């Protein structure tokens, strides 16, 4: 009798145990990442080649408008290699996401120098003269690359617990691994130059600028400390024993997680997921991002 009951129970549970590639609730959660992937692809590709997705993979834009403000950067050989490889990797990331969960049109993306200058000025608390321009040198480009790509890691870390399909889990794990590798390369290159004056400024060093940009992202995100520069007080370093911070991580040396709302507050440069601006002047795309724009100020979510 017990054996028969166990068999019946297993048969009843069988539909629940059947592997599912993509659950319905996975789709919009994973698609949200396209906003950052579009931005990174355009930034790296145009900086390296002077051409973006409309040249390399126009089918992946799904009819969205071309980015504005980006241009080919004046890069040394090493930095060009990094930008070119990362840009081509982002093409593949877009393709992998769209193949797994579908997509939405590329949003309007503003990669103009004035947006990056605004970030640097707000981070430092004063205006740089001349204004910061990410495309005039390798160091400026690396500092600009510090501004956006790290947010993708936060996003994927936050996405992983929310999805259940084996295909979406595999996708997010693969994306997180490569995005983390990209961030490690960028941070290592900046760490090597951490003591240099940065951004045309005779006072702030590279390390100080990364610290202040991270602090700005924390303020805009209204999320506590989920971001750290290249140098930290020893108590914030790995195991509370070291001031270097080549990789940003929490007390357990795990990646920080951010929600879509927190990410949008930073990317819009407004501190409010309901107020577009900054790198997405018309707002980010996809069901999650657009849902915030439908809510009046003061509505909790």
């Amino acid at each position: 009798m017990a054996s028969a009951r166990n068999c019946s129970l297993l048969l009843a549970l069988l539909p629940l145990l059947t592997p599912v590639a993509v659950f319905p609730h996975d789709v919009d959660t994973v698609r949200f990442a396209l906003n950052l992937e579009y931005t990174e692809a355009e930034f790296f590709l145009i900086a390296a080649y002077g051409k973006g997705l409309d040249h390399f993979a126009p089918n992946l834009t799904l009819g969205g408008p071309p980015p504005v403000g980006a241009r080919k950067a004046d890069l040394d050989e090493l930095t060009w290699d990094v930008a070119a490889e990362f840009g081509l990797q982002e093409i593949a990331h877009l393709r992998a996401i769209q193949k797994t969960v579908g997509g939405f049109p590329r949003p309007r993306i503003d990669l103009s120098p004035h947006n990056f200058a605004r970030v640097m000025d707000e981070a430092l608390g004063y205006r740089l003269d001349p204004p910061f321009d990410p495309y005039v040198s390798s160091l400026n480009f690396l500092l600009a690359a510090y501004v956006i790509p790290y947010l993708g890691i936060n996003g994927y870390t936050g996405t992983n617990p929310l999805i259940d399909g084996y295909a979406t889990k595999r996708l997010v794990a693969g994306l997180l691994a490569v995005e983390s590798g990209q961030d490690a390369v960028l941070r290592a290159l900046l760490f090597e130059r951490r003591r240099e004056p940065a951004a045309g400024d005779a006072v702030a060093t590279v390390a100080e600028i990364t610290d202040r940009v991270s602090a700005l992202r924390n303020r805009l995100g209204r999320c506590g400390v989920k971001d750290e520069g290249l140098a930290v007080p020893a108590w914030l370093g790995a195991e509370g024993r070291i001031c270097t911070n080549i990789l940003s991580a929490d007390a357990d040396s795990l990646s920080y997680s951010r929600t879509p709302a927190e990410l949008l507050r930073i990317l819009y440069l407004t501190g409010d997921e309901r107020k577009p601006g900054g790198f997405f002047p018309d707002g980010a795309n996809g069901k999650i991002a657009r849902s915030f724009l439908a809510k009046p100020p003061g509505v909790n979510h």
Side-chain angles (χ1 to χ4, degrees), residues 14-275:
L14 189 58
L16 301 177
L17 300 175
T18 302
V20 176
V22 180
F23 280 88
H25 62 263
D26 295 348
V27 173
D28 291 319
T29 304
V30 176
R31 277 185 187 172
F32 177 81
L34 286 169
N35 289 295
L36 276 159
E37 297 288 358
Y38 278 129
T39 306
E40 293 177 50
E42 299 291 10
F43 179 63
F44 288 127
L45 287 171
I46 296 174
Y49 294 102
K51 300 175 181 179
L53 288 170
D54 289 311
H55 172 79
F56 287 97
N59 59 307
L60 296 178
T61 71
L62 301 183
V68 298
R71 67 174 188 270
K72 194 174 190 300
D74 186 7
L75 304 177
D76 59 40
E77 183 178 0
L78 173 61
T79 310
W80 186 90
D81 287 340
V82 169
E85 181 175 334
F86 288 5
L88 295 171
Q89 288 176 341
E90 298 304 333
I91 294 174
H93 289 179
L94 288 166
R95 185 174 61 248
I97 293 171
Q98 292 182 14
K99 183 169 61 177
T100 305
V101 296
F104 50 70
R106 173 182 56 189
R108 189 158 72 96
I109 303 167
D110 188 345
L111 294 168
S112 302
H114 75 82
N115 263 333
F116 291 96
R118 177 181 169 187
V119 170
M120 295 301 172
D121 290 349
E122 289 189 22
L124 289 167
Y126 59 89
R127 288 190 176 184
L128 290 169
D129 186 17
F132 180 84
D133 186 333
Y135 305 110
V136 299
S137 70
S138 293
L139 180 55
N140 275 26
F141 173 78
L142 291 172
L143 286 167
Y146 183 86
V147 172
I148 297 175
Y150 169 73
L151 299 174
I153 300 172
N154 300 152
Y156 287 131
T157 302
T159 296
N160 192 56
L162 304 178
I163 58 177
D164 293 299
Y166 68 81
T168 44
K169 285 277 190 185
R170 183 173 58 207
L171 172 66
V172 169
L175 290 165
L176 179 57
V178 175
E179 293 286 337
S180 298
Q182 291 179 354
D183 185 62
V185 169
L186 295 170
R187 290 179 72 100
L189 290 172
L190 287 168
F191 186 81
E192 189 175 26
R193 305 178 68 171
R194 65 192 180 280
R195 296 187 179 91
E196 293 184 26
D201 185 88
V203 178
T205 64
V206 167
E208 289 167 341
I209 284 194
T210 62
D211 179 65
R212 296 185 191 192
V213 169
S214 287
L216 175 64
R217 288 189 296 212
N218 285 329
R219 291 197 303 273
L220 289 172
R222 308 201 314 270
C223 55
V225 176
K226 296 186 177 180
D227 218 309
E228 299 167 341
L230 296 172
V232 293
W235 61 272
L236 269 179
E239 293 301 290
R241 293 172 179 263
I242 195 165
C243 293
T244 61
N245 198 50
I246 301 172
L247 299 181
S248 180
D250 67 14
D252 293 317
S253 286
L254 302 177
S255 176
Y256 289 107
S257 167
R258 280 187 166 112
T259 66
E262 291 167 351
L263 294 170
L264 292 172
R265 292 168 195 162
I266 299 167
L267 291 162
Y268 291 168
L269 303 182
T270 63
D272 190 335
E273 65 274 28
R274 301 174 305 252
K275 294 182 180 178

